[in-house]
Amino acid sequence: PPPHGRITVHFTASWSFLTSLSQVTEFATVLGERAIAAEFSAEFLKLAKQWNNAFFNTTTKTYLKGEQSALGLAMVLNLCDTKYTLGKTDCTKIGAQLAHSVEVENDGHLTSGIMGTKNIIQALWIAGKHDLVHQVLEQVDYPSWGLNRFNNLEPATALWERWNTPWHGPDPEDNSRDHHMYGSFDQWLMEYMAGMQPDRENNDAFNSIILRPARARGLVSASLTLEYPVSVKYSWEIIGGDMRCAKMPEGRSKHQPAMPVVPPLQLSCGEGGGTITSIEFSSYGAPTGRCGQFKVDPKCHATNSMSIVKKLCLGKSGCSIPTDADYWGVLKCPPTNTTKRFTTVQGFPDEIPNTADFHWLNVQYSCSEKASLQVLAELDNAVGATIDIPLLGKDIQQVMLRDGDTTLWTNGHFVKPPQSLGIANVEYKSEQGALQLTTSPMQMHKLNLQLV
């Protein structure tokens, strides 16, 4: 997106070739063609080393000029591994560079096009930056998916082809209002936020799946239904606890009649999660940062943000907070990038949107009851599952895992359940900070992780 330019096509084209080579190797492995897989794997190793020689800058210790797309593409295909870089760098360092560019240099925003965007989301997740991915997807100012919908010029009902489509100029052939260009985040929503993935390691496609709730602060629930190729109903919810966060953009009002209608921001402790005991952060305006690290923008902040939210929510199990100017009053915020205009390679005008008139509300709060995690999984007769239950940062001796009324884990040990439950074992995975259980097909589980 402007003002950022494209990375060289030589980088993306050669990366695409290496991706195809990697996929063919995987196909050959699955089909049992070991000789073919070995041949393509050796070719990948040779070309990956050449790719690094061409595109890794040994002076600046980064790919190209350190663009987000260059870093993300290298991460996803593991081209930054030392066996390809010959010790010049590694994926931990490249992941840190990418996270710094997104979080610090661009305040939680991407600066990428179609190829980079798809892979940066995955690369950040690989790097363990789960909170940062959540922050990126929740943004509503430029450039972001949220701006597609929440603006007063042309609120979208589908995805734009560009980050700044209504501000792009009269370019009918390259400026669609209904385009898959930036739709790749839906894979992240399914596989990492809801947390349902095919078991690729065992090459079982959807005969065996992995259910793994997201570990991003601020995400407290997700649900997913899969009807094909197998039937799975799956949901998870964190109930109670501290460091719960919520965000909602400004909605339609007399002051902003062109904005879309949005529902009030909902705060909730969940069923059995107690009541809201404290509001750690509240800002209506243009707050920045992510859950646990929100910051007030002093130039664009309603000074009564904290008092209003406390009055509406403290002592309640849940509350609703309006996010329109009729309720909060009109904020006068300094303009953003209104004079920056560019020209595309096709000769059309390009402009960075002014989002000074678009506001949002960020809140962080805590509930009276200790955090618990509920996972519901219903599987058909053709699919088994490996289910990871994150420990919410707690010690393994502090948690109890139950399936309905049956205890599966307590006092740091597995308790063997009746055979009818279809659960053979529960293991503690220390590197993942999770309990992991394997269940047979045609089962329904109501898992609940509690502190004891």
Side-chain angles (χ1 to χ4, degrees):
H4 305 277
R6 299 178 180 178
I7 62 175
T8 172
V9 68
H10 301 294
F11 184 98
T12 52
S14 55
W15 179 89
S16 296
F17 181 80
L18 285 168
T19 299
S20 297
L21 201 57
S22 175
Q23 290 170 341
V24 172
T25 304
E26 185 178 354
F27 295 157
T29 301
V30 171
L31 295 172
E33 299 288 349
R34 296 182 179 179
I36 296 176
E39 179 184 353
F40 280 104
S41 180
E43 185 68 11
F44 183 94
L45 176 61
K46 180 184 74 174
L47 294 180
K49 291 177 180 178
Q50 294 178 4
W51 189 87
N52 271 282
N53 286 334
F55 299 116
F56 184 76
N57 189 319
T58 55
T59 301
T60 58
K61 306 297 183 183
T62 192
Y63 289 97
L64 299 182
K65 297 179 181 179
E67 297 93 336
Q68 289 181 11
S69 291
L71 300 171
L73 293 175
M75 282 280 294
V76 165
L77 206 53
N78 205 35
L79 291 166
C80 42
D81 189 281
T82 54
K83 64 184 174 184
Y84 306 128
T85 66
L86 302 180
K88 297 173 185 175
T89 190
D90 58 55
C91 289
T92 299
K93 294 175 182 176
I94 297 303
Q97 289 180 25
L98 176 61
H100 185 270
S101 174
V102 175
E103 181 176 11
V104 179
E105 296 176 2
N106 294 282
D107 193 25
H109 295 81
L110 304 186
T111 61
S112 51
I114 183 171
M115 288 186 66
T117 297
K118 177 182 187 298
N119 291 284
I120 289 168
I121 294 294
Q122 186 177 348
L124 288 172
W125 199 262
I126 292 171
K129 305 298 182 180
H130 305 172
D131 299 348
L132 184 53
V133 175
H134 184 210
Q135 179 187 353
V136 167
L137 291 176
E138 276 202 329
Q139 300 287 21
V140 293
D141 55 335
Y142 179 81
S144 69
W145 287 278
L147 183 62
N148 285 207
R149 178 60 177 161
F150 304 109
N151 68 83
N152 60 5
L153 180 61
E154 189 182 312
T157 56
L159 291 176
W160 293 336
E161 185 175 1
R162 293 176 173 271
W163 293 115
N164 62 334
T165 281
W167 296 268
H168 176 54
D171 185 356
E173 296 183 358
D174 193 22
N175 203 20
S176 172
R177 268 69 171 171
D178 184 7
H179 203 282
H180 67 280
M181 178 90 169
Y182 293 113
S184 53
F185 68 92
D186 60 351
Q187 178 184 8
W188 182 87
L189 295 178
M190 175 179 174
E191 294 195 5
Y192 299 101
M193 187 183 82
M196 182 167 71
Q197 306 171 14
D199 189 353
R200 297 184 177 94
E201 184 174 333
N202 295 314
N203 301 317
D204 285 335
F206 278 96
N207 292 323
S208 176
I209 60 174
I210 298 171
L211 302 178
R212 182 174 292 149
R215 305 182 191 190
R217 285 180 294 183
L219 276 177
V220 295
S221 65
S223 63
L224 185 150
T225 299
L226 183 68
E227 297 180 352
Y228 181 85
V230 294
S231 175
V232 178
K233 294 181 180 179
Y234 166 61
S235 66
W236 61 267
E237 180 182 8
I238 297 174
I239 298 170
D242 55 10
M243 203 174 291
R244 299 174 69 89
C245 296
K247 179 176 183 174
M248 184 66 71
E250 178 181 0
R252 184 177 300 173
S253 64
K254 295 177 182 178
H255 174 66
Q256 291 276 33
M259 292 289 284
V261 176
V262 301
L265 178 64
Q266 303 288 334
L267 305 189
S268 174
C269 293
E271 186 175 352
T275 59
I276 298 171
T277 55
S278 66
I279 306 295
E280 291 86 36
F281 182 91
S282 178
S283 176
Y284 177 79
T288 59
R290 61 178 188 265
C291 186
Q293 299 178 12
F294 287 144
K295 296 179 181 178
V296 168
D297 180 348
K299 297 180 180 179
C300 192
H301 167 68
T303 56
N304 57 349
S305 297
M306 187 66 80
S307 60
I308 285 180
V309 173
K310 284 184 175 181
K311 182 177 180 180
L312 290 173
C313 301
L314 284 179
K316 300 177 181 178
S317 60
C319 59
S320 299
I321 311 165
T323 59
D324 59 81
D326 292 344
Y327 184 82
W328 287 92
V330 178
L331 287 182
K332 296 296 184 181
C333 300
T336 60
N337 302 318
T338 53
T339 59
K340 291 189 177 181
R341 291 181 172 83
F342 306 87
T343 302
T344 67
V345 292
Q346 296 90 353
F348 291 101
D350 233 1
E351 184 178 336
I352 298 180
N354 171 28
T355 58
D357 290 335
F358 314 152
H359 308 122
W360 52 94
L361 174 63
N362 283 10
V363 177
Q364 179 181 320
Y365 63 105
S366 296
C367 299
S368 57
E369 296 298 314
K370 294 179 180 179
S372 63
L373 173 65
Q374 185 176 91
V375 178
L376 303 178
E378 184 176 346
L379 313 174
D380 74 8
N381 59 6
V383 59
T386 298
I387 306 177
D388 282 1
I389 309 295
L391 301 184
L392 307 179
K394 305 303 179 183
D395 185 87
I396 188 61
Q397 300 292 335
Q398 294 180 291
V399 299
M400 175 187 291
L401 179 65
R402 300 172 65 85
D403 188 352
D405 295 327
T406 303
T407 298
L408 300 176
W409 185 279
T410 188
N411 296 322
H413 298 285
F414 170 56
V415 180
K416 191 173 181 62
Q419 189 173 358
S420 58
L421 269 185
I423 298 174
N425 192 25
V426 177
E427 294 183 81
Y428 171 50
K429 299 293 185 178
S430 58
E431 69 279 5
Q432 299 176 13
L435 290 173
Q436 185 177 90
L437 61 91
T438 302
T439 178
S440 56
M442 207 169 181
Q443 297 290 334
M444 180 183 296
H445 299 286
K446 185 177 182 179
L447 302 166
N448 197 300
L449 183 82
Q450 296 177 322
L451 297 179
V452 293

